Amino acid sequence: SQAMVPPEAVGAPAALPALRLTPPLSLTARWADQRTLLLRPAAPLAPATRYRAELDADLADLRGVELGAPFRWDFVTAWP
């Protein structure tokens, strides 16, 4: 894990155009530290729903090293 943002970005609102969520969600984001992005949905997540998050292959750390391939993960919310 490498630093993604400079120290002055920690705690500030963040934009991450390299992240896509399906189904789409309205989110706020801020860097908790140089490596950890906290995402908060504007509204509660729908119950019993599968979400997919994807980072673009060209997302790069502070050194300029790109992922090189899209990175995807899924998560499912609990039943009500």
Side-chain angles (χ1 to χ4, degrees):
S1 175
Q2 297 294 323
M4 297 298 293
V5 295
E8 56 271 14
V10 174
L16 193 62
L19 173 67
R20 285 180 310 288
L21 293 165
T22 307
L25 293 173
S26 177
L27 299 170
T28 59
R30 71 173 181 83
W31 289 98
D33 57 42
Q34 288 182 277
R35 295 175 186 89
T36 308
L37 182 67
L38 297 176
L39 302 171
R40 294 197 179 196
L45 299 178
T49 302
R50 177 175 302 277
Y51 291 90
R52 170 166 279 183
E54 182 172 348
L55 294 170
D56 291 339
D58 60 357
L59 179 66
D61 63 21
L62 278 180
R63 301 171 302 158
V65 177
E66 295 182 353
L67 281 175
F71 182 79
R72 296 178 193 97
W73 69 98
D74 293 339
F75 61 95
V76 178
T77 54
W79 286 90

